[in-house]
Amino acid sequence: PLHNTSNMESREATTHREHVSASSAAQADHTAVVTANSSSLPLQEAFVHTAIQSAAPRDSESEISSVQVGSSHASRRAASPSEQDLFSDLREPSSDDSCASGSEHHGAAVHEQSDSLQPPVAHTDQMQDDYLHKYASAMVSGSTHINSAQTATDAQPPVPKKKRQTYTKEQKEMIINASAYGSQKVLEMAQIIGMPERTAETIVYRYRHAQDQALALTDRRRGQRKPTTFKGNRELLDYVADLLHDRPTLKNSKLRAYVNREILRELVRELPGVELLPTETERGGPLSFSEYMRSSVVKAQFARREVRSDSTMSHWLNHILCFTAKNVVYEKATSNTPGAKARRLDYCQMLVDRHVVGDAPIEDTSFWIFQDEMPFYPSLSRSRGRAPKGERAVVQVPATSRMSNRTQVAMAVHKHIGLLHSGVYPPVKVRGAYKTSWHQDTFLAFIDGLCEKLYDSREAFHLAGRHIFVVIDNAPEHSSTEETLHDSFQQMQELAPTDELLMDYDRIPDSMRPYRHFVRLTRFLETTGGEFSFVRAAPNSPQLNLCEYYNRYVRTLANTARDEDEYTALLLGHQAEHGTKLLRRLDALQRILGRTLDRLRAHDALQGPIKRFEYFVQDVIANDGYLDFHKRM
């Protein structure tokens, strides 16, 4: 008996050691599996497994068997008694329960979860156990919602992201300027601005190694947008660009109809058994849309490719083609006719041969003057303004017609001198109504004033023996200018053969007085071997007249001056007596134009207009007289 008892105790001890070793090995294997699969398992599954292990009590006599958490139902195993207690409220009662505790072995399998829940920190063991029971119940039942009011503490709020420090372009320029005096000055300037030393060194480095130094001073993190990809047919984008080139006022709905027509055209080409008519093969041409849509195959394929929304067209224009809305520029239908292109080509070729474009040689004796005029109205203002989103930009204007009471401004400019002569011609009152004062006689008086300026500056401009050309357009006021001045010169030669008699007012009739300075300048040029003549500019070609660029400059300055308080009150007629509002408006407009012209007269020749003028002359010659109005002046 003693021998049998000893053998039995030995076998029980051996069995107990094997059980403990197996349990330890299984737990170690499960820990390795969880560690290896931690990157692929969802956060909820890993947390449930940790909760089960941490919530179960451990002792030396019973080891906790790990519960393998996963989405596979085939990899389940028996749970330990501690796990059975944890999931006791989740099990269905079983009649054939064989366990001593009266509960069946329950496998834990967690299905797909949508949110990653982080449990709040519990301050006591009991509170932690309660939360773990609730969390495991929610995970096993497939619900991820945990009532925060039942937890010990609420979740901690997220830490706000630190705002990145930015610096203005002027501050960066200060750093760049300080770098010319050494690195120490850069650090001192950075300390004054409040900029980290490393940031200042980076700005200097980028500026010195950048291909475009002006771009190096801008914040590269701002205004960057990921390039928008277009997965459709690139030929459709080319078609849209070509269509808007000729018809830029098309609405998105009409543009979408044209695009869908081309989509159907390409679809019919691809499908077997369907052929296009000879008149329907060209892109942008006619197409029997309803006729082809009778086919069920064509209709089904077209439904997959068509553009259904106007917002799609807006996306193409704004983000792919980068089109923007602009003020419409009007081009006359006769601007590029064969006759107009031939005259324009001859005009541009003459400008090149006469060395108006480019650098003129020393022996060149021509003196080119470009003349033009433009209207101003008291009611006109800037066409663009700013307002909050959803509201219109409203500006007050005088209570008159926008195109009434025209004030004409005439200018004559030279390529290297700038503004030579100018005049402001307000409307005059005729029979109780204000009419424009700019007529043929006024234009001839302007030319006489230009000749007076040239004669007084004949030595400064070195006009002796030079050929003066005055470029004028084909306005009605300029008709028969050459004949009128030629006849006046012949009559003045008889009435006043000398300059002393020419300046005698009593000897010259009133009708001939507007031509006195023209006659005097012409006599001076003829005696020195020079000449005075007019040149007609090319028709419908404002880009080929240098004075047109000065007109735009004057208009910009004048419209800007309208916003000043001094002139706004006068133009609107505030506190003006009855019957004097219009006079005050016209006087304010003359003051604005006079100040603008004085500013332009004191300025040197504008280099920007010269470059654009010469560019268009060369472009017209390269395109055989064709003038592209889509290019900016």
Side-chain angles (χ1 to χ4, degrees):
L2 293 178
H3 177 72
N4 295 335
T5 302
S6 300
N7 293 337
M8 184 180 299
E9 291 177 353
S10 177
R11 287 194 301 268
E12 290 177 357
T14 303
T15 302
H16 177 70
R17 286 194 299 270
E18 292 176 354
H19 174 69
V20 172
S21 300
S23 300
S24 301
Q27 184 175 1
D29 294 340
H30 175 67
T31 304
V33 170
V34 172
T35 305
N37 297 335
S38 60
S39 59
S40 59
L41 289 176
L43 181 60
Q44 299 92 330
E45 300 175 0
F47 180 76
V48 169
H49 176 70
T50 306
I52 293 173
Q53 287 186 337
S54 60
R58 299 170 180 263
D59 51 31
S60 58
E61 297 181 359
S62 63
E63 296 292 335
I64 299 177
S65 299
S66 301
V67 179
Q68 184 175 357
V69 181
S71 59
S72 175
H73 294 274
S75 60
R76 298 183 179 179
R77 63 173 183 80
S80 64
S82 299
E83 295 171 348
Q84 297 170 7
D85 295 339
L86 183 62
F87 293 97
S88 59
D89 58 333
L90 302 177
R91 295 194 303 268
E92 295 288 342
S94 177
S95 59
D96 55 347
D97 192 353
S98 60
C99 295
S101 60
S103 62
E104 64 176 358
H105 296 286
H106 185 79
V110 181
H111 301 283
E112 296 181 359
Q113 304 295 333
S114 59
D115 298 324
S116 300
L117 298 179
Q118 294 292 343
V121 180
H123 296 285
T124 63
D125 295 339
Q126 183 62 32
M127 294 167 62
Q128 184 176 5
D129 295 342
D130 295 340
Y131 179 82
L132 293 175
H133 279 287
K134 292 183 177 64
Y135 190 87
S137 301
M139 298 300 295
V140 174
S141 62
S143 173
T144 58
H145 177 69
I146 302 294
N147 189 2
S148 59
Q150 300 176 1
T151 59
T153 58
D154 294 333
Q156 298 295 332
V159 179
K161 186 178 180 181
K162 183 179 179 181
K163 186 177 180 181
R164 185 174 64 89
Q165 179 66 32
T166 58
Y167 302 97
T168 63
K169 183 178 179 181
E170 290 75 14
Q171 292 175 333
K172 295 179 181 179
E173 289 178 351
M174 295 170 63
I175 295 296
I176 298 301
N177 296 334
S179 63
Y181 301 96
S183 59
Q184 185 63 29
K185 294 295 183 181
V186 173
L187 301 181
E188 294 177 1
M189 183 60 66
Q191 185 177 4
I192 295 175
I193 297 176
M195 180 186 298
E197 297 180 357
R198 184 60 180 170
T199 304
E201 295 174 354
T202 303
I203 292 174
V204 175
Y205 176 83
R206 288 178 178 174
Y207 181 81
R208 291 177 177 177
H209 294 79
Q211 296 180 355
D212 188 356
Q213 294 183 343
L215 186 61
L217 296 178
T218 59
D219 194 344
R220 298 187 298 177
R221 302 186 187 182
R222 293 186 177 184
Q224 290 185 349
R225 182 184 179 91
K226 295 183 178 179
T228 304
T229 57
F230 179 71
K231 300 180 180 179
N233 190 356
R234 300 295 302 185
E235 294 182 357
L236 285 178
L237 293 180
D238 298 338
Y239 172 70
V240 171
D242 295 340
L243 190 61
L244 291 178
H245 182 273
D246 299 329
R247 304 173 63 182
T249 57
L250 285 177
K251 299 180 64 175
N252 288 342
S253 57
K254 190 66 176 179
L255 194 61
R256 179 168 59 89
Y258 283 115
V259 170
N260 285 333
R261 187 179 65 180
E262 296 306 315
I263 292 176
L264 179 61
R265 194 190 309 274
E266 295 298 328
L267 178 61
V268 172
R269 286 196 183 101
E270 296 174 0
L271 292 178
V274 183
E275 295 183 359
L276 292 170
L277 297 177
T279 58
E280 298 176 344
T281 57
E282 185 179 358
R283 189 181 73 173
L287 184 68
S288 301
F289 196 92
S290 59
E291 190 71 23
Y292 291 107
M293 291 299 291
R294 293 180 180 179
S295 173
S296 59
V297 177
V298 174
K299 188 174 182 180
Q301 292 293 332
F302 178 76
R304 299 175 55 186
R305 299 188 186 183
E306 68 171 333
V307 178
R308 300 184 178 89
S309 174
D310 292 346
S311 61
T312 302
M313 304 308 306
S314 179
H315 176 74
W316 288 11
L317 298 177
N318 297 334
H319 303 296
I320 300 178
L321 293 175
C322 297
F323 277 38
T324 57
K326 303 179 177 65
N327 290 336
V328 177
V329 177
Y330 299 101
E331 176 187 356
K332 295 183 179 180
T334 58
S335 297
N336 286 301
T337 59
K341 291 193 294 184
R343 295 177 58 183
R344 188 180 296 121
L345 182 61
D346 295 340
Y347 170 74
C348 293
Q349 194 64 49
M350 179 190 60
L351 294 179
V352 174
D353 296 340
R354 295 281 186 172
H355 307 289
V356 180
V357 177
D359 298 332
I362 301 176
E363 62 274 8
D364 183 53
T365 60
S366 60
F367 190 88
W368 286 79
I369 300 173
F370 294 87
Q371 189 277 334
D372 196 31
E373 58 275 342
M374 60 178 171
F376 282 87
Y377 303 92
S379 299
L380 289 183
S381 61
R382 297 182 62 183
S383 59
R384 292 181 177 270
R386 295 178 176 87
K389 188 175 182 180
E391 298 182 9
R392 297 189 299 176
V394 181
V395 60
Q396 290 187 354
V397 296
T400 59
S401 175
R402 292 179 60 83
M403 305 301 290
S404 62
N405 305 321
R406 182 181 67 177
T407 298
Q408 201 78 6
V409 176
M411 292 188 299
V413 299
H414 186 267
K415 176 181 177 181
H416 301 296
I417 300 174
L419 181 61
L420 287 175
H421 181 60
S422 62
V424 180
Y425 302 92
V428 294
K429 195 170 186 179
V430 179
R431 296 178 183 178
Y434 283 91
K435 303 293 184 180
T436 179
S437 61
W438 183 254
H439 302 290
Q440 184 178 9
D441 296 338
T442 317
F443 171 70
L444 294 176
F446 173 81
I447 294 297
D448 192 69
L450 173 63
C451 293
E452 181 183 5
K453 172 68 175 180
L454 295 175
Y455 184 82
D456 295 340
S457 306
R458 59 187 182 278
E459 295 182 0
F461 297 159
H462 307 285
L463 297 180
R466 305 191 70 173
H467 190 172
I468 299 178
F469 294 93
V470 179
V471 179
I472 59 177
D473 56 18
N474 298 297
E477 297 85 1
H478 304 167
S479 60
S480 66
T481 300
E482 298 87 341
E483 295 81 1
T484 303
L485 291 177
H486 178 73
D487 297 341
S488 301
F489 178 77
Q490 297 297 333
Q491 296 179 17
M492 292 292 286
Q493 287 286 73
E494 299 177 358
L495 295 175
T498 62
D499 292 345
E500 292 77 8
L501 297 176
L502 185 63
M503 301 307 296
D504 188 0
Y505 279 83
D506 298 334
R507 190 179 182 87
I508 305 300
D510 295 341
S511 59
M512 304 299 295
R513 287 177 182 177
Y515 314 111
R516 293 178 299 113
H517 299 288
F518 167 74
V519 174
R520 185 169 58 167
L521 177 64
T522 305
R523 287 177 180 177
F524 167 76
L525 293 175
E526 289 182 350
T527 56
T528 59
E531 188 179 354
F532 188 96
S533 60
F534 290 90
V535 175
R536 294 287 178 171
N540 301 325
S541 307
Q543 295 89 336
L544 304 179
N545 191 341
L546 183 60
C547 193
E548 289 282 357
Y549 299 90
Y550 280 77
N551 291 347
R552 299 165 65 91
Y553 186 77
V554 171
R555 187 175 297 280
T556 300
L557 295 180
N559 289 337
T560 303
R562 292 173 185 263
D563 298 331
E564 298 182 7
D565 298 338
E566 176 185 359
Y567 300 114
T568 301
L570 295 175
L571 290 173
L572 296 179
H574 294 331
Q575 300 179 356
E577 298 179 1
H578 180 70
T580 62
K581 289 186 177 181
L582 183 55
L583 293 177
R584 288 167 61 91
R585 292 167 184 165
L586 295 177
D587 179 69
L589 184 58
Q590 293 183 51
R591 291 168 58 183
I592 292 174
L593 296 175
R595 192 185 73 170
T596 303
L597 293 174
D598 291 341
R599 179 179 175 181
L600 184 61
R601 193 177 294 107
H603 199 281
D604 295 334
L606 303 178
Q607 299 300 320
I610 295 175
K611 294 180 180 179
R612 298 304 299 171
F613 165 72
E614 294 182 349
Y615 166 78
F616 275 104
V617 171
Q618 299 288 358
D619 185 71
V620 168
I621 295 176
N623 292 282
D624 296 331
Y626 178 81
L627 180 59
D628 191 359
F629 281 79
H630 294 85
K631 298 179 180 180
R632 297 183 60 182
M633 288 186 61

